[in-house]
Amino acid sequence: MTLYLGIPLGLMALLVAVSGVAALRSGWLLPVQRQYIVRPHLFGWAQLAIALALVIQVAGAVLVEAGGLRSAVTMSGAAVLLGGVLLIVQAQRPARGR
């Protein structure tokens, strides 16, 4: 991956992380997400996990040159991304007590 792809992906990771921190600190969500998300605190953690996955993917693609190490970094980023997606699914479901 070249820098012209890495820089926009890094900026996207930064925007997702800022949105995740806003959801954690104040419960604020984007207007599009307010209809579906029931637990904004959990959704904030999910966004931070997805931002971390993007950073891992970009760092693995831009900085790592070796083939075996690059695939290990990429797979770890994919695992973190999967964890973030699972957290998003849990944030959309109401709590068991409701």
Side-chain angles (χ1 to χ4, degrees):
M1 177 187 298
T2 56
L3 286 179
Y4 70 88
L5 290 175
I7 291 173
L9 284 176
L11 290 174
M12 189 165 75
L14 180 66
L15 289 175
V16 171
V18 167
S19 179
V21 168
L24 279 174
R25 301 260 313 155
S26 65
W28 182 84
L29 297 171
L30 291 171
V32 176
Q33 298 166 339
R34 291 180 189 151
Q35 182 179 5
Y36 303 105
I37 302 301
V38 179
R39 296 185 266 183
H41 186 75
L42 185 62
F43 187 71
W45 284 112
Q47 284 183 316
L48 288 178
I50 289 175
L52 177 65
L54 280 172
V55 168
I56 291 171
Q57 293 282 341
V58 169
V62 172
L63 300 177
V64 178
E65 294 295 327
L69 183 60
R70 177 181 271 180
S71 64
V73 170
T74 303
M75 287 299 157
S76 66
V80 172
L81 181 66
L82 180 62
V85 169
L86 291 175
L87 284 176
I88 287 177
V89 169
Q90 291 298 319
Q92 291 178 351
R93 293 184 182 165
R96 290 184 185 241
R98 290 187 172 177

